[in-house]
Amino acid sequence: MQAKILKWILPFTVLIVGVVGFKVINAVAKSEPEKQEVDSRPVVEVETITAQDHQVVIQSYGEVKPLESTQLSIQVSGEVEYWHPNFVEGGLVQKGEVLLRIEQDNYEAALLQAEAELARAEAQLIEEQAQADVAADEARRFPNKKHTDLFLRKPQVMSAKASVKSAKAALQRAKRDLENCEVIAPYNALVVKKDVGLGQFVSMGSSVGTVNNIETAEVIIPIAGFDSVFLPERVSGLAATVYQRGVNAFTREAVIDRDLGTVDQQTRMNNLVVRINDPYGLTTRQPAIKYGTYVQVSFAGKTLKQIYRLPQDIVNNQSVWLLNQDNQLEPRKVQVIREEGEFFLIGDGITSRDKVVMTPPEYPQKGMEVKVAGTDSSSKPSSQPEKL
């Protein structure tokens, strides 16, 4: 009897368990959230750029050199009896300071002798002039007699005047020789070389040292052909900046003095000369620029009208990527006018209405659909139909 009951109950139990399990599975399946569609479009940043006037900055480099370098010579002979404490290699001397002096006794004596000769000549002239006056008076008292120039003492007076002039010339030479016993600094200078010592005998014309002018320095900078087209019509007088980067960095103001007017035969470059006042900063208290230092120089060139300035990393083979109305990438050829730092200056190829892709995908393709950073992530490209 129990076997018959189990025979009828077991199928119903299995059926009930199956129905309940189906309902449970169906309920769990319905409770799972619907999967959202993944937007795989690359995300890019886009900017609408505008054309502006741009001041070109031209940069070059060169070595700082003195405006002038002078080899000092002595104009008289004698023994060195004094030299300036700063008249040593590397010393700085001021304009007008006595760098070197030789013994002056002989030249002082020569000056006294020249003064005496001049006094003697002037006395002789006075005597001859008085005698000529007497002769002239006698000639007036005897007008009927013939009076020669020798009687009137004209040659004697002319000779006395010549002696006075000769004595004055000798006096000037004596004064000059005495003054030339001292070698004077012609300008504020850096002593590069000293060739004499105390007690040394030097002869006329001997070199005693070499000095460099530290009032003004010059830097000759080459201008490449691609930069030459951006030079202003007049470069003389343009303000420039001289600087150096690194541990001993400095910045100094300068001015372009002139164009050398020739093209270098080897480099085919133009050369400009930049001047720096007080390079050693003695009067202006500016950072010192030692001669021989290589520096960079920058100055303003021409002003370009209505151009675009783009980062170099978004310009590839003179092309940029634009975003069209369908959020698709579109390549555009552009005219690169100039490279300036991390940027390219662009002339033709784009307009102020174009949307330039500032962060293109790794492998951009024409017509690739992209998503603009900052837009709604749920927006779909217009070319894809929505799923029902």
Side-chain angles (χ1 to χ4, degrees):
M1 184 68 176
Q2 291 180 353
K4 290 183 178 181
I5 294 173
L6 290 174
K7 184 178 180 180
W8 288 99
I9 292 176
L10 185 60
F12 284 105
T13 303
V14 173
L15 179 61
I16 292 172
V17 172
V19 171
V20 172
F22 174 77
K23 290 183 177 181
V24 171
I25 293 173
N26 191 33
V28 172
K30 288 183 178 180
S31 64
E32 292 182 359
E34 294 183 358
K35 294 183 179 179
Q36 296 182 354
E37 181 183 354
V38 178
D39 189 352
S40 61
R41 294 175 297 167
V43 178
V44 297
E45 294 181 1
V46 175
E47 288 186 12
T48 301
I49 60 175
T50 57
Q52 296 179 343
D53 294 344
H54 180 75
Q55 178 76 66
V56 173
V57 176
I58 299 177
Q59 295 181 332
S60 188
Y61 61 93
E63 180 184 355
V64 180
K65 297 180 179 180
L67 172 65
E68 53 188 334
S69 181
T70 303
Q71 184 176 1
L72 302 175
S73 299
I74 194 73
Q75 299 185 47
V76 292
S77 300
E79 182 180 329
V80 177
E81 65 177 13
Y82 165 82
W83 55 268
H84 194 285
N86 289 343
F87 188 50
V88 292
E89 293 186 7
L92 297 176
V93 293
Q94 299 293 321
K95 179 179 180 180
E97 289 185 334
V98 177
L99 305 182
L100 179 75
R101 184 188 302 120
I102 66 171
E103 56 182 356
Q104 298 176 311
D105 296 346
N106 291 337
Y107 299 99
E108 290 173 348
L111 177 60
L112 292 175
Q113 184 176 0
E115 291 174 345
E117 290 295 332
L118 177 59
R120 185 180 297 108
E122 289 176 340
Q124 183 67 31
L125 175 61
I126 292 173
E127 182 179 349
E128 290 294 340
Q129 189 67 57
Q131 292 181 5
D133 291 341
V134 172
D137 182 62
E138 184 177 351
R140 284 194 297 271
R141 286 190 288 112
F142 300 97
N144 295 329
K145 294 180 66 173
K146 184 178 180 180
H147 304 287
T148 63
D149 289 343
L150 186 61
F151 174 80
L152 297 175
R153 304 193 67 82
K154 290 183 179 179
Q156 292 86 336
V157 172
M158 292 178 62
S159 178
K161 289 181 177 179
S163 296
V164 170
K165 288 183 179 180
S166 177
K168 286 182 177 179
L171 179 61
Q172 289 182 352
R173 285 195 295 268
K175 288 181 178 179
R176 184 202 61 188
D177 289 344
L178 182 59
E179 292 174 354
N180 289 338
C181 288
E182 295 180 341
V183 177
I184 307 297
Y187 38 69
N188 295 339
L190 169 70
V191 180
V192 178
K193 187 178 181 183
K194 175 174 173 286
D195 296 325
V196 294
L198 194 65
Q200 180 178 345
F201 181 87
V202 291
S203 58
M204 182 184 302
S206 298
S207 174
V208 297
T210 304
V211 294
N212 286 343
N213 189 334
I214 57 172
E215 296 176 359
T216 307
E218 288 190 339
V219 184
I220 299 178
I221 57 174
I223 304 297
F226 55 81
D227 276 336
S228 297
V229 296
F230 300 105
L231 288 175
E233 294 182 2
R234 288 182 57 87
V235 296
S236 179
L238 281 179
T241 301
V242 176
Y243 59 94
Q244 188 180 66
R245 304 302 185 206
V247 178
N248 299 320
F250 61 81
T251 301
R252 292 287 301 271
E253 298 302 318
V255 64
I256 298 178
D257 182 68
R258 64 191 182 277
D259 187 335
L260 289 184
T262 58
V263 177
D264 189 274
Q265 295 297 318
Q266 295 180 345
T267 62
R268 309 307 301 172
M269 293 185 181
N270 296 318
N271 291 283
L272 302 180
V273 180
V274 178
R275 282 193 176 180
I276 310 168
N277 290 327
D278 190 25
Y280 280 73
L282 299 181
T283 59
T284 59
R285 303 301 178 185
Q286 295 292 317
I289 309 177
K290 295 182 179 180
Y291 291 142
T293 302
Y294 271 88
V295 296
Q296 290 181 288
V297 181
S298 64
F299 61 94
K302 289 183 178 179
T303 299
L304 303 180
K305 301 295 184 180
Q306 297 298 293
I307 57 97
Y308 302 90
R309 190 165 178 260
L310 296 179
Q312 289 192 25
D313 54 2
I314 71 170
V315 182
N316 188 14
N317 294 328
Q318 297 201 6
S319 296
V320 297
W321 291 97
L322 304 180
L323 188 68
N324 61 21
Q325 296 179 350
D326 297 327
N327 280 4
Q328 295 176 343
L329 296 183
E330 177 182 319
R332 181 75 58 82
K333 280 287 184 182
V334 294
Q335 177 192 16
V336 177
I337 299 177
R338 175 178 170 79
E339 175 184 348
E340 198 168 272
E342 299 178 355
F343 296 89
F344 280 135
L345 304 182
I346 307 299
D348 298 330
I350 54 178
T351 66
S352 298
R353 299 183 302 272
D354 292 329
K355 297 180 179 179
V356 180
V357 179
M358 306 303 291
T359 56
E362 186 174 0
Y363 301 104
Q365 299 292 330
K366 182 178 180 180
M368 175 185 287
E369 293 179 345
V370 296
K371 179 179 178 297
V372 179
T375 59
D376 186 4
S377 61
S378 63
S379 60
K380 305 293 182 181
S382 58
S383 60
Q384 292 183 352
E386 294 184 1
K387 293 184 179 182
L388 297 178

